[in-house]
Amino acid sequence: MKQPGFFDVEERLARLSGLGDQLEAFSRTVDFEVFRPDLEKALAYSDGSKGGRPPFDPVLMFKILVIQTLNNLSDERTEYLINDRLSFMRFLGLGLSDRVPDAKTVWLCQKRLTQAGAIDGLFNRFDATLRNAGYLPMSGQILDATLVAAPKQRNTNAEKADLREGRIPEDWQDKPAKLSHKDRHARWTLKFTKAKRQDDGTMPSSDLAIPFFGYKSHVSIDRKYRFIRKWKTTHAAASDGARLREGLLDKTNTASTVWADTAYRSKANEDFMEEQGFVSKVHRKKPHLKPMPRHIQKSNAGKSVIRSRVEHVFADQKSQTGLFVRTVGITRATMRIGLANIVYNMRRFLFLERISANA
């Protein structure tokens, strides 16, 4: 086997470009330098005046988190693949002889960003980039939520009762190692899905209720461009509707219309939207023990055509990036979901820019 040379690597990278390297498109379209002020403030790395090994560049570390989110990787797997893949190295600006951050360094970067509460600033920074590029929130907004799985906890009924009341179970208090591995914020809930037609062609009398453990991602997207504009993370059992009044509505949208499913239909929400100048297009609920009136049925069907666009956002996050919370606690889960929202907006930005260039 011959010794690989510089031109061999260049030829392989050119081949990757020809095959459609998504990370190369990211580098070409997204200006990652806009994140530097927020990253430097949150990470607060040493300036090197006291000696020691110099820290990795903050933007480089953020780009590693983007890779990790795009591919749903653990810290250890991220370290391995950066060393293994030429496309990852090119995206990060690393050569074959350059030092690569190890799994511990990636973990510490996430920890510092989480502790600094930097994810909101990073999200808003890229949202400003989208607005400057002409992608203003327009034509109203669509609200919805999706469940995000987390590693299941094996707790006793007494421990579950303590957690629901916001208490730390007594058996955990003198065991810090055990406490650090217990997720006290994720919750169990039931995920309802439509029952499938049976082999004999009949439909079951009731839908399926599947136990689910984890968190819930609440988003508001703009109708025109389908970017995530507002978002929030809660435990899985949290009510969808109540989040509408907790900063989930985007007041900068050029239209005042709000679409959402029946989970958001309540008098409190309707009054809130009216007071804030929003026009409700929230689905109406079926009357109790009565058939749905025909005119409401038709109205809901028309709203569904528009509201369904938000489902594409969640489908993209789960099918393309495998959205899953590997961490413990809602603070770190918020960081994970926030990164997923930034990466979704980046991928959407790439798509719209490509469509615009080809038009």
Side-chain angles (χ1 to χ4, degrees):
M1 182 181 294
K2 69 173 184 177
Q3 188 74 17
F6 173 78
F7 292 106
D8 296 312
V9 175
E10 287 295 303
E11 184 178 341
R12 180 62 60 85
L13 288 172
R15 177 66 174 159
L16 289 172
S17 299
L19 293 171
D21 181 5
Q22 184 185 42
L23 290 177
E24 187 179 31
F26 267 62
S27 296
R28 196 168 50 242
T29 310
V30 178
D31 180 13
F32 284 91
E33 284 298 317
V34 301
F35 299 104
R36 185 175 293 279
D38 298 276
L39 293 169
E40 289 182 341
K41 180 180 178 180
L43 295 174
Y45 285 148
S46 169
D47 59 5
S49 60
K50 296 182 179 179
R53 177 178 287 186
F56 287 99
D57 180 67
V59 175
L60 166 69
M61 296 305 302
F62 180 67
K63 291 171 82 172
I64 289 176
L65 297 184
V66 169
I67 287 177
Q68 191 175 48
T69 304
L70 269 171
N71 298 278
N72 190 27
L73 302 174
S74 65
D75 296 336
E76 291 75 16
R77 188 65 178 166
T78 300
E79 178 188 356
Y80 173 81
L81 288 177
I82 292 173
N83 282 281
D84 182 65
R85 292 189 179 179
L86 287 175
S87 60
F88 284 14
M89 291 186 212
R90 175 168 63 180
F91 177 63
L92 299 173
L94 297 174
L96 293 174
S97 60
D98 289 330
R99 185 165 62 102
V100 173
D102 58 19
K104 182 69 172 179
T105 304
V106 175
W107 180 82
L108 285 172
C109 174
Q110 293 182 72
K111 182 180 179 181
R112 286 196 179 196
L113 290 175
T114 302
Q115 291 176 336
I119 191 61
D120 284 331
L122 294 170
F123 180 89
N124 293 335
R125 183 73 66 172
F126 189 64
D127 186 62
T129 298
L130 296 175
R131 293 167 187 262
N132 291 336
Y135 296 103
L136 299 174
M138 303 173 70
S139 304
Q141 55 195 298
I142 310 169
L143 273 61
D144 206 353
T146 188
L147 294 169
V148 182
K152 296 180 178 65
Q153 304 285 295
R154 307 300 178 185
N155 301 327
T156 65
N157 290 334
E159 289 170 342
K160 292 177 183 177
D162 285 336
L163 292 175
R164 282 193 294 269
E165 296 297 325
R167 299 189 299 266
I168 298 177
E170 186 176 349
D171 185 47
W172 299 0
Q173 295 179 12
D174 56 351
K175 297 178 181 178
K178 181 176 183 178
L179 182 60
S180 66
H181 287 86
K182 287 292 188 178
D183 196 329
R184 290 174 283 149
H185 302 116
R187 292 288 185 272
W188 284 97
T189 189
L190 290 176
K191 180 180 180 181
F192 293 94
T193 61
K194 293 291 183 182
K196 296 182 180 179
R197 189 176 298 276
Q198 297 180 344
D199 294 337
D200 60 2
T202 61
M203 289 293 292
S205 59
S206 60
D207 293 333
L208 302 177
I210 303 172
F212 185 94
F213 182 80
Y215 293 92
K216 190 176 284 187
S217 171
H218 308 261
V219 303
S220 171
I221 70 167
D222 67 271
R223 178 188 173 190
K224 184 175 178 63
Y225 298 114
R226 304 187 198 181
F227 286 115
I228 297 173
R229 301 294 183 171
K230 297 287 183 179
W231 61 281
K232 188 178 183 67
T233 301
T234 65
H235 61 74
S239 165
D240 293 359
R243 307 289 83 77
L244 180 145
R245 305 188 301 277
E246 297 178 357
L248 202 59
L249 291 174
D250 181 12
K251 295 183 179 180
T252 67
N253 198 292
T254 58
S256 57
T257 317
V258 177
W259 285 268
D261 62 26
T262 55
Y264 296 85
R265 169 67 69 169
S266 69
K267 187 178 185 307
N269 283 350
E270 294 299 307
D271 291 344
F272 178 82
M273 284 189 282
E274 185 177 358
E275 291 171 4
Q276 298 296 318
F278 292 102
V279 177
S280 173
K281 292 290 185 180
V282 179
H283 281 223
R284 291 187 177 276
K285 298 179 180 179
K286 176 181 173 297
H288 184 58
L289 299 177
K290 294 181 181 179
M292 176 74 84
R294 181 65 179 170
H295 70 283
I296 295 180
Q297 201 171 30
K298 290 180 64 177
S299 175
N300 282 350
K303 295 172 183 176
S304 291
V305 174
I306 296 172
R307 195 201 65 79
S308 63
R309 296 179 184 183
V310 73
E311 302 294 347
H312 302 164
V313 177
F314 297 138
D316 182 275
Q317 288 185 315
K318 292 186 176 181
S319 64
Q320 299 297 321
T321 62
L323 181 57
F324 179 81
V325 173
R326 301 176 182 273
T327 53
V328 173
I330 194 167
T331 305
R332 297 179 70 186
T334 300
M335 178 71 185
R336 174 73 179 89
I337 292 173
L339 278 171
N341 291 341
I342 293 173
V343 168
Y344 165 79
N345 278 355
M346 287 181 176
R347 294 184 71 249
R348 183 69 183 167
F349 181 48
L350 260 63
F351 172 76
L352 292 176
E353 287 290 280
R354 186 169 65 250
I355 294 297
S356 177
N358 294 333

